[in-house]
Amino acid sequence: MKTLLTYCPSIIHDPPHVLEDIVHGHPIQPKHFRLEVDHDGIAWLVFDTPKSSVNVWNEETLREFNHNLESLEHDTRVKALVLRSGKDRIFVAGADLKGIRSMQPMRVNDLIWLGQAVFDRLARLKMPKIASIHGACMGGGFEVTLACDWRIASDHPSTKIGLPETQLGILPAWGGSTRLPRLIGVRKALDLITSGKLLSASAAKHAGLVSHVVAPEHLETLARRLVREKRPTARFHLENLFAPLIGRIAKKKALAKTRGLYPSITKAIEVVTHAVSRELEDGFKLERDAVAELIKNRETARLIDLFFKREEASKRPALVGTAIPIHDAVVIGAGVMGAGIAHTLASRGVRVLMTDVTSDSLARGLERIHGLVSDAARRRLVSKVQARDTLDRISTTHTPVPLNRHHLVIEAATESMELKKKIFADLAARVSSDTILATNTSALSVAELAKTVPHPERVIGLHFFNPVHRMPLVEIITLPETSPDVLATAISFVQKAGKTPVVVKDSPGFLVNRILMPYLMEAVRLHENGIPVKDIDEAMLEFGMPMGPMRLLDEIGIDVAAHVAKTLAAAFPERFPQSNALNKMVAVGHLGKKAGLGFYRYENGKEIALGRHADVPRHESIQTNLALLISQEAMRCLKEGIARNADDIDLAMVLGTGYPPFRGGPITFARDTGIIDY
């Protein structure tokens, strides 16, 4: 049988030593895999790394997997192979990124060789092969399944399938970029690979990634049935004949969207559209060459580092204190933020009581939630059962009721200190003495609110960002007297809600808004000095921001921005002067997108720039000026101890504002470029 294990054309050396060792073979003790052959001749190969909650591919696990494949080749009892995981919520999480991050490029190339060769050996096994997917199946975890004949998946919410490598600055190189377009067609493959999105089991079936979706307990029965059926044949996709044209169009769109700042995306388009019409081995070589080029980029290192920061923040428990599990929560306010928070919590299994002062307000809030749930179901982000369960977990009331059995209340009322104090005073009479009272304020003093209730040590800020269902960050605002148990509970609760918590001190603007406001106000000043809004926004889009500062002000709302600016001006008058420009716009009703007019005019959902200017500074100078302000304020927050460390600040700015991930965050950017002393 001719496989990559015996055919290794030279790239760096011939063959890489990791393959040479396998070809010549040596004994391997079973550690990560269990292989059992039942009375029907079905081999059940279970990936289950000991003392770990995840399975990942690295040199050790790939070698052991290959050893099992070699055993199967020579075992005459075996008629079929089923690959599955021994973990509760993970199939295979992909490659061992920590190992890759510390490798020299040559060693990374060796690992790519090894993965391609082992998965190719799996593909060439002369028996039916089924990947039984339960839990996260990402990157190399999905690429191994592409070497199987069938991919079946559980309908459990933990089952997520996709190829997120381009979000890390690389691309699928264990056969994913070569095999996926053959399976589902080049258009769908490009969409999945360049977006890096992860699909639910239902969406994966709709996209053609898996053939069947069943309850977890039915996966084994389904696998036993499929091994008796004829193996599926490869489907011909007419569009693949036009891959070069599709690639040119896709690349043009990608460059317009990313401005060439994410080379992994354009490189993935090139590899996919070239590999689909070539021999597998040629496609694998294209994958290897692409990764060898991309892995050297500093931007790739920054994206991988940022991934680690987010993973740690999303899973790291509090250093002190005991977290209390929260199964029921109260949300005060059914507006945009209140409804968004209620929806997010309910979708993650929390029972929510949403309150407001009128039944009409509650009806509008429920309508928003129904819209979010319906949209998620339509896009197959959730199943119909999950959508129904989310709605069933939400109850409402517009009359005061006892809340002493709830461990957490989140106030999400209008941004008014007087109103919030009134709400907190009322809550104090209706909750127990140990109920955690949280406010969703974006800038108001949490300490001031805490003065209105007994036991201020239970008061905390939970600043969700809008839109709640999309924005991954939650700022947890603490006071000197905050109880360690309250903080530990808040961190655990935010993580359970599927968000990334960043703990910050109570300070005007907290962290993200404080860092962002000097940038926004300087953009306003530049406009007042004659630079058109379009040129300011274009400069920062070229820097990598997802939205220019002027457009962002319109999206936030000029009135909201003016309120935050006023709060910061009162706290830091020497650095945050009052903005007459924003106040004037508020006075005449130019409130941004919601009013149809702000720095842009909005017609039929599209923004129209208002006027241009002949003498405009180069975009580079605008970028330098505005990026410098972000990094300077981030450094001030670090020195003042507003956040715990530089990593938290970088992460918060990327997740909360869309600061270019490939730059690593404002403090990493300052360190890399030397624009300010680090």
Side-chain angles (χ1 to χ4, degrees), residues 40-88:
D40 292 322
I42 301 175
W44 301 87
L45 185 56
V46 182
F47 195 169
D48 192 8
T49 294
K51 300 179 181 179
S52 174
S53 61
V54 299
N55 297 320
V56 294
W57 292 120
N58 52 35
E59 187 172 327
E60 182 177 63
T61 55
L62 285 168
R63 285 175 179 277
E64 187 177 334
F65 185 54
N66 177 74
H67 177 74
N68 281 285
L69 297 180
E70 184 178 18
S71 298
L72 292 169
E73 288 173 349
H74 298 96
D75 193 332
T76 56
R77 299 174 300 160
V78 178
K79 299 176 182 177
L81 168 64
V82 178
L83 177 63
R84 59 184 180 182
S85 168
K87 305 302 181 187
D88 291 334

Side-chain angles (χ1 to χ4, degrees), residues 241-254:
L241 297 176
F242 304 95
L245 175 60
I246 294 171
R248 286 194 294 272
I249 295 171
K251 190 172 183 179
K252 183 178 180 180
K253 289 181 178 178

Side-chain angles (χ1 to χ4, degrees), residues 354-371:
M354 184 171 67
T355 76
D356 211 311
V357 292
T358 69
S359 57
D360 287 345
S361 298
L362 287 172
R364 287 192 294 272
L366 284 174
E367 186 178 356
R368 290 189 185 96
I369 294 171
H370 275 271

Side-chain angles (χ1 to χ4, degrees), residues 322-328 407 489 492-493 496:
T322 302
I324 301 171
I326 301 292
H327 303 294
D328 299 82
H407 289 297
T489 300
S492 175
F493 175 74
K496 179 183 177 180

Side-chain angles (χ1 to χ4, degrees), residues 511-525 568 575-577 625-626 628-634 636:
L511 180 65
V512 170
N513 283 339
R514 174 174 162 184
I515 294 173
L516 197 62
M517 283 312 295
Y519 159 75
L520 295 177
M521 298 316 298
E522 176 64 10
V524 173
R525 188 191 69 79
L568 290 170
R575 290 190 294 106
F576 292 88
N625 185 17
L626 294 177
L628 175 64
L629 286 170
I630 295 176
S631 291
Q632 283 178 333
E633 200 62 34
R636 288 192 183 99

